[in-house]
Amino acid sequence: MSDTPIKIALLSGSLRGESLNTKLVTAVAGEIERQDGVEIDLISLNKLDLPIYDQDLEEKEFPAGALELKRRLKESDGFLIGSPEYNGSISGALKNAIDWASRPRPDEEPLECFKGKGCGLLAASPGAIGGLRGLRHVRQILTQLQMVVIPQEFALSKAHEAFDDAGQIKDENARAMANNVGGSLVKMIRALKCDV
Ligand SMILES: Cc1cc2nc3c(=O)[nH]c(=O)nc-3n(C[C@H](O)[C@H](O)[C@H](O)COP(=O)(O)O)c2cc1C
């Protein structure tokens, strides 16, 4: 089981180019990708054509960007998410992506993108709490979608000054806590893939 091949979808809930959350998930993904058998798929929401969810639109023509998002999430064994805290909660971009991905297509099982898969949560904010409050809401939503959201989570405070020029977290303790989320996620995903 220790090197069972797994694929992890990397998602940042921020669309902006200099996103601190994208930096954080990318830094942690760089660590876990060193492990044998771990493949990462960085899904950049700003590169997908994802309109605001609208049931009329869904019924008229399911958007190509949403289909691509669903395909890539279905191909993954779990997610690692960097979730910006907007007003104490989830960003609109991340919620919108989750809403599209939750919509069933005729050839699918219910909640096929999510059900039974592991998920690790990270947040980054210039603030003192690092976006931790928002993760409560993200956890609740993904649990509703039947994901196994691991208990380990990490919110990087003062994130605007936390990274070095190579994109690594400068503080050793913070780096270890962030990487612990990634390492624990890999173990959980492998455990979930075991036949029982
Ligand atoms: C609409 C909005 C609401 C925000 N609310 C919070 C908040 O509740 N807590 C917090 O720590 N930061 C808040 N921020 C600041 C974000 O944490 C900051 O902009 C952060 O850099 C966003 O993540 P990103 O760098 O990945 O884009 C908010 C920012 C915006 C645009």
Side-chain angles (χ1 to χ4, degrees), residues 12-16 18-23 82-89 124-133:
S12 168
S14 171
L15 304 181
R16 73 186 188 101
E18 288 302 305
S19 163
L20 299 167
N21 285 277
T22 305
K23 276 190 191 175
S83 180
E85 181 177 277
Y86 279 8
N87 300 314
S89 187
S125 161
I129 316 178
L132 189 66
R133 291 167 301 188

Side-chain angles (χ1 to χ4, degrees), residues 73-88:
L73 292 179
K74 281 194 284 180
E75 284 172 7
S76 77
D77 300 299
F79 311 166
L80 179 65
I81 297 180
S83 180
E85 181 177 277
Y86 279 8
N87 300 314

Side-chain angles (χ1 to χ4, degrees), residues 8 19 40 49 56 66 68 82-83 90 94 102 110-111 120-122 129 136 149 153 159-160 171 173 184 187 189 191:
I8 300 178
S19 163
I40 298 290
D49 180 20
D56 285 342
E68 182 183 341
S83 180
I90 186 171
L94 181 57
S102 72
L111 301 179
L121 299 180
L122 299 164
I129 316 178
R136 297 283 161 276
V149 186
E153 62 185 14
H160 57 302
D171 181 76
N173 287 332
S184 303
K187 284 187 191 151
I189 291 173

Side-chain angles (χ1 to χ4, degrees), residues 5-176:
I6 59 170
K7 189 170 187 176
I8 300 178
L10 205 63
L11 283 163
S12 168
S14 171
L15 304 181
R16 73 186 188 101
E18 288 302 305
S19 163
L20 299 167
N21 285 277
T22 305
K23 276 190 191 175
L24 180 56
V25 278
T26 305
V28 172
E31 271 305 305
I32 55 179
E33 215 174 8
R34 291 185 203 196
Q35 296 187 34
D36 283 345
V38 178
E39 188 186 343
I40 298 290
D41 179 19
L42 169 59
I43 301 178
S44 301
L45 295 180
N46 55 4
K47 293 195 183 132
L48 290 176
D49 180 20
L50 267 189
I52 299 284
Y53 178 77
D54 171 352
Q55 195 166 346
D56 285 342
L57 187 60
E58 178 189 351
E59 283 163 14
K60 196 167 145 214
E61 187 180 5
F62 208 94
L67 287 174
E68 182 183 341
L69 174 67
K70 283 177 66 74
R71 178 184 58 76
R72 290 166 71 179
L73 292 179
K74 281 194 284 180
E75 284 172 7
S76 77
D77 300 299
F79 311 166
L80 179 65
I81 297 180
S83 180
E85 181 177 277
Y86 279 8
N87 300 314
S89 187
I90 186 171
S91 70
L94 181 57
K95 182 63 165 56
N96 189 49
I98 292 171
D99 287 343
W100 274 117
S102 72
R103 301 301 298 155
R105 302 297 294 150
D107 53 340
E108 286 177 357
E109 297 291 317
L111 301 179
E112 202 173 317
C113 294
F114 304 94
K115 195 173 178 178
K117 295 181 181 179
C119 183
L121 299 180
L122 299 164
S125 161
I129 316 178
L132 189 66
R133 291 167 301 188
L135 293 188
R136 297 283 161 276
H137 294 184
V138 182
R139 178 177 293 278
Q140 187 180 6
I141 293 163
L142 294 173
T143 303
Q144 175 69 27
L145 298 176
Q146 300 185 33
M147 292 205 90
V148 179
V149 186
I150 61 168
Q152 297 85 352
E153 62 185 14
F154 176 66
L156 182 65
S157 57
K158 307 235 176 296
H160 57 302
E161 48 196 38
F163 295 95
D164 65 20
D165 292 342
Q168 297 305 310
I169 302 170
K170 289 187 279 188
D171 181 76
E172 200 179 316
N173 287 332
R175 193 166 63 242

